[in-house]
Amino acid sequence: MKFNTKTIHGGQSPDKAYGSVMPPIYQTSTYAQTTPGGHKGYEYSRTHNPTRDALEKSFASIENGHYGLAFGSGLAAIDAVVKLLQPGDEVVSTNDLYGGTYRLFTKVFEKFQIKFQFIGMENADQIEQHITPKTKLIWVETPTNPMLSIIDIKAVSAIAKKHGILLAVDNTFATPYLQQPLDLGADIVMHSATKYLGGHSDVVMGALAVKDKGLADQLYFIQNASGAVCGPQDSFLVLRGVKTLHVRMQRHCENGRVVATFLQQHPKVEKVYWPGLVTHPNHEIAVDQMNDFGGMLSFTTKGNNYEETIKVVERLKVFTLAESLGGVESLAGHPASMTHASIPKEVRVKTGVLDSLIRLSVGIEDADDLMADLKQALES
Ligand SMILES: *Cc1c(COP(=O)(O)O)cnc(C)c1O
């Protein structure tokens, strides 16, 4: 089955009870037993729920995995991955990282004696010097947030395999429409399904997919034991979102290209970060590992003026000024005052998060309206 069919049919079959084509929302916590232990595969909804099962099979299918897991949020999914580790273990992670992941690693798991190193991975050769006998997990986010750097998953995977270390990839920005980390050698792929998989900015959810049965069993154990699962209603909504993932992504990519090209030519714009531009420093790797380049992009305005940049984002009308990404509607954010405000200026500037950096999640509206909106915001 090809990807554009898997989004709709992957792991799905008509419901056993009445043949309903769409999975029913099994809004139940528990299931009747005929005799103690005599049930139809479902005992309690933290452990299993038929609607969540349908979604988990879909996650596995679109990521070319064998097992999928759904969680109450992206961070709950990451939390489950880190719980595979023991005190004393070490993690090597990408440095230009989703802020919530950084907070979970440093503020929650460091307390339990897990050690994290945050490094630039654009050059995979630099990873090995950070690996010790205690390193048990490499955490990669690509494209990175908000600088849209691209990390070579295959190259990182070779290093992870050589040292017997698990490799997990946060695939939220790319989605399996653009890249399939498990096929590139990752052991675990993770999503904030809140973003493109759900796709309509109406659910918070997380996902994992893996190929290996032993790893899946450990993760299912943690999912049930820690209990950060999602409900049946949200499972239904994300399953519905996944069915249009490929059509939405196609338009996100087309609009991303139009907006990136428009901004690159605009006299008030200094620099555009979009992996599809030949000027992007990791463009070659992006061409190699991605099918297209997505709808996420960042740019800086000339003069690097904090107040002026805030005025630009305030003037936007079609783009909504908001955190998050990946919905059908276009969103704009100002990392320096929003997502990255808590990071000291010297630190954020080092990774490229200047005062004038604006991040766009380009939606699937008419590209002409998006360009016109950016034009009036930049020029008035
Ligand atoms: C949003 C996001 C997360 C966290 O997911 P939640 O669903 O908000 O918990 C993790 N990684 C990336 C790249 C994200 O964009």
Side-chain angles (χ1 to χ4, degrees):
M1 223 189 259
K2 295 211 170 156
F3 185 78
N4 296 353
T5 311
K6 282 185 176 180
T7 53
I8 297 167
H9 297 289
Q12 308 303 304
S13 48
D15 185 63
K16 286 196 190 81
Y18 298 107
S20 105
V21 171
M22 289 304 137
I25 302 168
Y26 282 95
Q27 194 74 49
T28 185
S29 61
T30 189
Y31 306 82
Q33 307 190 4
T34 46
T35 176
H39 55 75
K40 298 174 177 168
Y42 296 92
E43 289 168 281
Y44 185 61
S45 281
R46 170 163 32 72
T47 318
H48 295 295
N49 173 281
T51 318
R52 198 178 88 218
D53 276 359
L55 176 67
E56 291 180 332
K57 291 197 173 88
S58 169
F59 287 155
S61 168
I62 59 175
E63 283 290 0
N64 292 342
H66 300 311
Y67 307 93
L69 300 96
F71 293 86
S73 70
L75 285 175
I78 302 171
D79 177 270
V81 174
V82 182
K83 283 176 178 161
L84 293 167
L85 307 179
Q86 310 264 351
D89 286 351
E90 297 183 8
V91 180
V92 177
S93 165
T94 321
N95 59 359
D96 183 23
L97 194 66
Y98 177 73
T101 308
Y102 180 81
R103 183 177 56 199
L104 177 66
F105 286 173
T106 56
K107 297 278 176 347
V108 178
F109 282 110
E110 274 184 358
K111 274 198 312 207
F112 297 96
Q113 277 76 52
I114 293 170
K115 205 176 133 196
F116 295 87
Q117 293 186 70
F118 300 93
I119 63 165
M121 291 190 184
E122 290 76 9
N123 181 356
D125 297 342
Q126 306 209 319
I127 298 172
E128 221 154 7
Q129 59 188 317
H130 299 274
I131 290 174
T132 77
K134 290 180 176 168
T135 309
K136 295 289 153 59
L137 174 69
I138 298 180
W139 187 269
V140 166
E141 201 177 300
T142 179
T144 67
N145 177 29
M147 299 314 298
L148 282 302
S149 297
I150 304 295
I151 293 159
D152 186 341
I153 298 172
K154 246 193 248 168
V156 180
S157 154
I159 293 164
K161 288 209 162 45
K162 182 173 152 196
H163 294 273
I165 300 168
L166 282 177
L167 170 62
V169 175
D170 182 337
N171 205 24
T172 301
F173 269 37
T175 83
Y177 177 82
L178 297 179
Q179 81 193 1
Q180 278 148 345
L182 297 181
D183 288 348
L184 298 170
D187 301 290
I188 302 171
V189 59
M190 171 264 153
H191 278 276
S192 169
T194 313
K195 317 294 168 52
Y196 286 106
L197 298 191
H200 296 75
S201 306
D202 51 9
V203 185
V204 172
M205 191 187 285
L208 298 177
V210 301
K211 286 195 176 186
D212 182 74
K213 167 110 177 36
L215 187 55
D217 286 345
Q218 288 180 64
L219 289 166
Y220 284 126
F221 177 83
I222 293 166
Q223 181 193 38
N224 182 49
S226 284
V229 295
C230 54
Q233 178 93 30
D234 286 353
S235 299
F236 176 86
L237 282 172
V238 172
L239 197 49
R240 183 161 82 163
V242 170
K243 286 179 197 292
T244 57
L245 177 65
H246 54 296
V247 241
R248 287 185 285 108
M249 284 308 292
Q250 188 179 351
R251 184 62 65 84
H252 281 297
C253 293
E254 286 166 14
N255 283 358
R257 177 172 297 282
V258 171
V259 170
T261 310
F262 166 79
L263 288 171
Q264 210 182 20
Q265 292 162 357
H266 196 282
K268 292 245 169 112
V269 171
E270 179 80 42
K271 210 159 174 203
V272 181
Y273 300 89
W274 186 65
L277 296 172
V278 288
T279 50
H280 187 285
N282 319 123
H283 178 66
E284 290 307 317
I285 303 170
V287 169
D288 214 45
Q289 86 181 4
M290 299 170 78
N291 300 318
D292 203 335
F293 308 103
M296 294 304 300
L297 66 88
S298 295
F299 68 100
T300 49
T301 51
K302 284 202 177 128
N304 193 28
N305 184 303
Y306 187 93
E307 285 74 27
E308 188 44 46
T309 308
I310 291 204
K311 276 190 203 130
V312 172
V313 292
E314 282 175 353
R315 281 185 211 118
L316 289 165
K317 294 189 178 83
V318 181
F319 283 84
T320 304
L321 180 59
E323 297 198 358
S324 199
L325 61 112
V328 290
E329 70 292 330
S330 291
L331 301 180
H334 180 236
S337 66
M338 294 166 73
T339 46
H340 290 60
S342 60
I343 301 174
K345 186 167 169 174
E346 321 82 71
V347 180
R348 73 170 156 81
V349 165
K350 245 189 248 163
T351 61
V353 184
L354 303 181
D355 288 349
S356 64
L357 188 81
I358 294 173
R359 190 191 78 177
L360 301 179
S361 169
V362 180
I364 63 172
E365 300 95 335
D366 193 290
D368 287 344
D369 290 328
L370 299 180
M371 280 189 291
D373 193 33
L374 287 163
K375 188 168 154 58
Q376 65 79 21
L378 284 163
E379 291 172 15
S380 59

